[in-house]
Amino acid sequence: MTVFLAIVGFILIGTGFLGIFLPVLPGIPLAWLGLFIFAIGTGFEKISILATVIFFILMLLTLAFDFLAPMLGAGKYKASRLGIAGTFFGFLVGILVFGFWGIILGPLIGAFVGELIARRPAGQALKSATGAFIGFLAGTLVRVIYIFILLGYFCLLYTSPSPRD
């Protein structure tokens, strides 16, 4: 049974990794679900309740950062309020209308257009858009790090003997 649960966990974590790059998959929650299924299925022998809760909280923080990162990036490059709002709306419209490319291009275009609406020079609008893109990359990096840490933890505890062995 443990081997079956480990396989299910690995599949979900692997699918979660793919979800970093394929927006149709909720990558981070799927990866955590793999850990959770294994933990609950083994009666929390290999992975404790505390570790499961910690990874859940980290999952929520990762998702929040991933959502906010383009806006933070635009703000770091001195975007106006309209530029930051454009980043947010660009993200929403982009993901709903254009899927994968919308996640990348939506905040970038939104920041640029928001800055132009705020009557900022095109150079500043481009800097704000660059900041939104760098924020997107930072969010992606945080997702990758989260999944690698989760996978490493999962592998380490799966291969270690349980307390009852």
Side-chain angles (χ1 to χ4, degrees):
M1 181 67 160
T2 303
V3 173
F4 174 75
L5 291 171
I7 291 169
V8 169
F10 278 120
I11 289 171
L12 286 171
I13 293 170
T15 305
F17 183 77
L18 291 176
I20 291 173
F21 307 103
L22 302 172
V24 296
L25 297 172
I28 299 300
L30 280 175
W32 179 82
L33 185 62
L35 180 90
F36 180 69
I37 287 172
F38 183 77
I40 204 165
T42 58
F44 296 99
E45 281 185 29
K46 296 258 186 191
I47 300 174
S48 69
I49 293 172
L50 178 62
T52 306
V53 169
I54 288 171
F55 273 105
F56 181 78
I57 292 168
L58 289 173
M59 175 194 68
L60 294 177
L61 292 172
T62 300
L63 291 172
F65 179 75
D66 189 43
F67 180 73
L68 295 173
M71 291 176 279
L72 294 171
K76 188 77 172 164
Y77 280 73
K78 310 286 188 237
S80 66
R81 285 185 176 165
L82 286 174
I84 293 172
T87 303
F88 173 74
F89 288 116
F91 174 80
L92 290 179
V93 170
I95 195 167
L96 294 174
V97 176
F98 300 109
F100 174 73
W101 292 108
I103 290 174
I104 298 169
L105 296 175
L108 191 137
I109 293 169
F112 188 81
V113 170
E115 290 294 275
L116 292 179
I117 290 171
R119 301 192 189 280
R120 309 266 318 256
Q124 178 56 46
L126 188 58
K127 284 181 184 177
S128 298
T130 301
F133 182 69
I134 290 171
F136 163 77
L137 293 177
T140 301
L141 179 63
V142 167
R143 286 183 286 158
V144 168
I145 290 169
Y146 173 84
I147 286 189
F148 277 136
I149 290 171
L150 187 138
L151 179 63
Y153 185 79
F154 183 84
C155 290
L156 179 72
L157 292 181
Y158 173 71
T159 57
S160 68
S162 66
R164 295 184 188 169
D165 289 345

